[in-house]
Amino acid sequence: MMAFLGIGYTPVSASSEKEVTLKLIETSDVHGCYYPYDFIRRHSVQGSLARVSALVGEMRKTYGDRLILMDNGDILQGQPVAYYYNYIDTTSVHVVADMLNYMHYDVATMGNHDIEAGHAVYDRWVSQCKFPVLGANIMDVKTGKTYLPPYKVIEREGVKVVVLGMITPAIPSWLPEQLWSGLRFEDMETSARKWVKWIQEKEKPDVLIGLFHAGPEGNKLDDVVENGSGDVARRVPGFDVVFMGHDHVRTCQKIINEAGDSVLLVDPANMAKVVADVTVKVVKKDGKVIRKSVEGKLASVDRYTPDEAFLKTFEKQYQATADFVSRKIGRINKTITTKDAYFGPSAFIDLIHQLQLDITGADVSFCAPLSFAAEIKEGDIYVSDMFNLYKYENMLYTMTLTGKEIKDFLEMSYAIWTNQMKSPDDHLMLLNEKDKGFGRFKNPSFNFDSAAGILYTVDVTKPQGEKINIRSMADGTPFRMDKMYKVSVNSYRGNGGGDLLTKGAGIPKQDLAKRIVFATEKDLRYYLMKRIEEVKILDPRPLNQWKFIPEKWVEPAAKRDYRLLFGEDR
C-alpha cells in the first residue's frame, strides 16, 4: 500500500491539526472607476480596478487560490465608461463582466445603482459574469424564489467558506418600478435569519461571510431599514465577517453579537481607493474547527502602479469611451457651477430647470444640485460635460401637484437646506461643525430642490411651514393653493427619494405613481444632450424667480458661508 502511494509520501494523521490562512479582499461602490482616469474631468485618479488588479496580483503570489475576491455592488454606474457599455454598446461583453472575469472575482452582489441601470443592463451583466452575483433578499415575484443565487460555497484547502449576499431593500424608495419589475426586496434581517439557518444546517460552513450592499446604521427609509448590515451582524449569530457597502463610509471594527461572538464589520467606501483586506486563520482537527481568528484592515491601492496587463487588455474599451466622451454637442457662453446654487438662483441649476420645462411642458420644475461643486467651463460642450451637468441616470417625470403641495414640498427642501437665522451673524446654510460626508452641509445637497415656473421668496428667519411665500406664476398669473399643476421632477424625487414629496408635500408613498402623467423612456441626461444639440448654443443665466430674505442678513451670511464651504470668495 505504501509503495502504491509513491516515494516521498508522508501520511498525515487524521487527528493532526491543520492551519489554513485565507485572504479575503472586497471592493465596493466602484462607481465606474475601472481605469485610473476620470473621463468626466479628464484627469488621472488614485483609485481604479487597474490598481486593485495590481494589488490582487501581488497578494496571489503569497496566497494563491486562498485569496477570495469579492465585489459588493454599485459598479455599473458613475463614469462614462459604465454608461457607454450600459446603453451605447450593448452587443459587446459588458466591460464590467469582462474586467471582473479577468481579475478572477469569486463572487459579487448588486447595488442599488446597478438596479438603477435597468433589467436589460444588469441581467446581461449577470449572465456574462463567470462567478455568481448574489441576492438572497431579491425575490422573484412570480416564482417566490430568489432572483439571484442567495449564497456561494467556496472550498479552499479543506476550509468551507459560505458567502451570503444581500442588497439594501430600500430600492423602491429611489427607483421607478420599471427598473426592478417582477422583483421584491426583503428586509435584510428577515432574509438573513432564514438563510443562515439553512446554511448552517445544509452547508455546515467553517467560515460564514456576509457580503451586504448596505451600511451599518440601521436607519429607516419609508419604514424599511436601508442600512441593515449592523443589525444583521448583531442579531443574527453565525457571521465571522460582514463586508459592507452603499454608504461610502470607511469602516473596520469588531462588534459583539447577541451570542457573545465577535464579528468584523468592514467597508472600503467608494471609488476603489482602498480595499477591505481581511485575514482569516482556521485551525481544524478531525475535520472540525478548533480555533479561528479574523483580522481586518483597509488597504490603500495608492502605492500600486496600475496593472499594465489589465490596461493593455482593456485598451479597446478605454478608447471607445474616450471617443464617446470627446464628441462635441454644443457650446456654452459662460462658465457655470453648482457652488452658486446654494445661495440663490444660479445659471447651473436654472439651465436644468429650463431644459426640464422645455422637455415636459410642465408648469413648474423642481431640481437640486446633484454634485457638491460641479463646473462646466465656457466654450465647447462635450458629452463628458453632461456627466457634470447631470450626475445620475434618472428618468424625467411630469407629476400633478396642488399649489399647497408645491409650497409644502419647498418648505421641507429649504428647511433641510438653510439655517433658521436668529441674528445677522448666524449661518445662512444649515451646517455641521465638521464634514460628515456632505461638505459641511447637515443634509445631502442633492435634496436641496429649488423651483422654476413660480415667483417666491424664502424667509430664512422663519421655521418650516412659514418660510415660503409664492407670489405668482413666473408669467405673472395668479398661483392658487387649490389648483392642480404639472410639475417636472427626476425619477428619484418622483419615486419618493429624499422624502420631499411624502413627508414634505404630504403625498402618501402609495399614491405617488398615480400622480405621474408622463415619464421619459430614457434617462434625463440623454434628453438634455438632445436638447443641447438642438439649441446648439447655450446662454445660461439665473432665472431670478426666487430669493432669500431678509436680504440685509442674507448677503453677508452668504459670503461667509461660501468661503467656509469652498475656501474662496463668492
Side-chain angles (χ1 to χ4, degrees):
M1 180 66 177
M2 291 300 295
F4 174 76
L5 289 171
I7 297 172
Y9 172 78
T10 303
V12 179
S13 169
S15 63
S16 65
E17 294 183 5
K18 180 182 180 182
E19 180 179 284
V20 177
T21 301
L22 303 174
K23 178 64 75 173
L24 313 178
I25 300 294
E26 176 216 14
T27 53
S28 189
D29 298 86
V30 172
H31 285 290
C33 192
Y34 319 139
Y35 301 96
Y37 185 75
D38 184 334
F39 288 94
I40 301 172
R41 296 164 188 84
R42 309 290 186 94
H43 61 67
S44 60
V45 295
Q46 288 303 305
S48 76
L49 286 183
R51 282 193 167 88
V52 174
S53 183
L55 176 150
V56 169
E58 182 178 285
M59 286 189 170
R60 281 205 171 108
K61 292 176 183 176
T62 300
Y63 294 97
D65 70 353
R66 287 180 289 114
L67 185 149
I68 298 173
L69 185 57
M70 298 168 280
D71 183 77
N72 205 3
D74 275 7
I75 196 169
L76 299 180
Q77 177 274 339
Q79 277 282 318
V81 61
Y83 186 90
Y84 184 80
Y85 284 96
N86 285 350
Y87 308 112
I88 308 300
D89 182 354
T90 59
T91 57
S92 299
V93 173
H94 197 292
V95 68
V96 177
D98 220 356
M99 287 177 169
L100 299 190
N101 290 337
Y102 173 87
M103 293 172 68
H104 300 291
Y105 270 76
D106 293 286
V107 67
T109 58
M110 278 207 292
N112 51 293
H113 284 291
D114 304 321
I115 299 288
E116 182 181 58
H119 264 292
V121 175
Y122 57 77
D123 287 345
R124 165 175 150 238
W125 170 63
V126 167
S127 71
Q128 292 171 345
C129 289
K130 295 179 180 178
F131 52 86
V133 178
L134 306 179
N137 64 332
I138 305 176
M139 307 305 295
D140 187 317
V141 173
K142 285 185 179 179
T143 65
K145 298 178 180 179
T146 57
Y147 188 70
L148 298 168
Y151 65 87
K152 163 76 171 173
V153 177
I154 301 171
E155 294 207 32
R156 297 288 189 267
E157 295 192 12
V159 175
K160 182 184 256 190
V161 178
V162 174
V163 182
L164 177 70
M166 292 194 291
I167 190 173
T168 172
I171 306 297
S173 294
W174 304 309
L175 303 178
E177 189 173 352
Q178 69 194 78
L179 300 177
W180 46 272
S181 59
L183 304 180
R184 178 174 59 82
F185 303 92
E186 276 190 346
D187 172 74
M188 288 178 61
E189 189 177 337
T190 301
S191 184
R193 287 188 187 282
K194 174 177 63 181
W195 284 109
V196 168
K197 184 175 185 293
W198 172 277
I199 289 166
Q200 287 175 333
E201 291 177 355
K202 303 294 182 182
E203 306 293 355
K204 297 178 173 54
D206 299 316
V207 178
L208 180 58
I209 295 169
L211 187 62
F212 304 154
H213 188 83
E217 298 90 347
N219 61 298
K220 281 196 170 183
L221 189 62
D222 295 331
D223 295 324
V224 171
V225 177
E226 175 188 357
N227 289 297
S229 295
D231 291 345
V232 171
R234 287 180 179 86
R235 300 174 187 170
V236 184
F239 290 100
D240 296 289
V241 189
V242 169
F243 290 99
M244 304 184 296
H246 179 59
D247 63 352
H248 296 193
V249 178
R250 294 181 187 182
T251 305
C252 188
Q253 63 174 345
K254 287 186 177 180
I255 57 100
I256 303 300
N257 65 19
E258 289 183 353
D261 297 321
S262 173
V263 184
L264 177 65
L265 295 178
V266 60
D267 185 337
N270 58 324
M271 307 305 287
K273 294 178 180 178
V274 303
V275 297
D277 177 346
V278 176
T279 303
V280 178
K281 293 184 178 180
V282 180
V283 179
K284 298 184 77 172
K285 183 177 181 180
D286 298 331
K288 294 181 179 180
V289 175
I290 59 171
R291 288 193 305 278
K292 185 164 45 175
S293 68
V294 179
E295 297 299 331
K297 64 181 180 179
L298 298 177
S300 172
V301 303
D302 285 357
R303 70 181 182 87
Y304 290 89
T305 302
D307 183 346
E308 289 185 13
F310 177 99
L311 294 177
K312 187 172 182 179
T313 300
F314 300 105
E315 185 177 5
K316 178 182 175 183
Q317 291 92 328
Y318 178 98
Q319 191 58 51
T321 306
D323 293 344
F324 169 62
V325 299
S326 299
R327 182 168 67 85
K328 179 182 172 182
I329 60 174
R331 186 171 179 80
I332 190 166
N333 282 343
K334 64 178 293 187
T335 298
I336 58 175
T337 173
T338 55
K339 294 177 183 178
D340 300 328
Y342 308 111
F343 303 95
S346 71
F348 193 109
I349 296 301
D350 285 351
L351 171 60
I352 298 176
H353 276 312
Q354 193 61 62
L355 290 170
Q356 288 189 172
L357 291 171
D358 290 347
I359 291 166
T360 63
D363 304 305
V364 178
S365 167
F366 288 145
C367 180
L370 299 187
S371 298
F372 175 65
E375 180 180 82
I376 298 178
K377 292 188 178 295
E378 175 185 354
D380 292 337
I381 303 175
Y382 299 92
V383 169
S384 59
D385 294 313
M386 300 307 298
F387 291 82
N388 253 335
L389 182 63
Y390 207 85
K391 187 174 182 179
Y392 300 110
E393 278 79 70
N394 294 317
M395 310 296 183
L396 182 60
Y397 287 173
T398 304
M399 303 181 74
T400 54
L401 272 72
T402 66
K404 185 177 187 307
E405 288 168 342
I406 289 171
K407 178 183 184 299
D408 291 345
F409 177 105
L410 291 172
E411 288 282 1
M412 179 177 173
S413 176
Y414 285 95
I416 64 174
W417 171 354
T418 60
N419 183 35
Q420 186 181 346
M421 296 181 72
K422 304 293 187 182
S423 80
D425 298 325
D426 286 345
H427 289 294
L428 171 61
M429 302 288 100
L430 189 59
L431 302 174
N432 286 318
E433 287 299 317
K434 296 181 179 179
D435 183 352
K436 295 185 178 180
F438 306 123
R440 287 287 302 272
F441 285 123
K442 187 172 183 179
N443 298 296
S445 59
F446 55 74
N447 287 329
F448 298 173
D449 277 46
S450 61
I454 53 176
L455 303 179
Y456 65 100
T457 58
V458 183
D459 190 334
V460 294
T461 68
K462 301 291 172 99
Q464 181 175 345
E466 302 174 25
K467 287 181 176 291
I468 309 298
N469 179 30
I470 304 175
R471 302 198 306 272
S472 70
M473 301 300 294
D475 62 5
T477 56
F479 178 87
R480 290 169 38 196
M481 292 292 177
D482 60 349
K483 183 177 177 180
M484 193 69 78
Y485 294 95
K486 291 190 296 181
V487 181
S488 63
V489 296
N490 67 43
S491 55
Y492 171 78
R493 188 73 70 237
N495 209 48
D499 296 330
L500 295 180
L501 284 171
T502 50
K503 292 180 181 177
I507 304 171
K509 169 76 173 175
Q510 62 270 22
D511 291 347
L512 290 178
K514 302 171 189 174
R515 300 293 193 96
I516 301 169
V517 294
F518 169 76
T520 58
E521 292 183 1
K522 297 181 182 292
D523 67 285
L524 179 52
R525 190 188 298 122
Y526 170 87
Y527 294 97
L528 292 176
M529 281 195 288
K530 291 294 183 186
R531 184 61 181 162
I532 292 170
E533 285 178 318
E534 291 171 7
V535 175
K536 293 185 173 59
I537 298 176
L538 296 177
D539 188 23
R541 300 176 186 275
L543 295 173
N544 293 320
Q545 294 180 356
W546 67 274
K547 65 180 179 179
F548 288 127
I549 59 171
E551 291 176 78
K552 287 184 179 180
W553 285 21
V554 166
E555 289 176 9
K559 289 180 181 179
R560 293 193 303 269
D561 285 357
Y562 190 97
R563 172 165 280 281
L564 184 67
L565 287 166
F566 304 113
E568 61 191 32
D569 290 327
R570 191 178 174 197

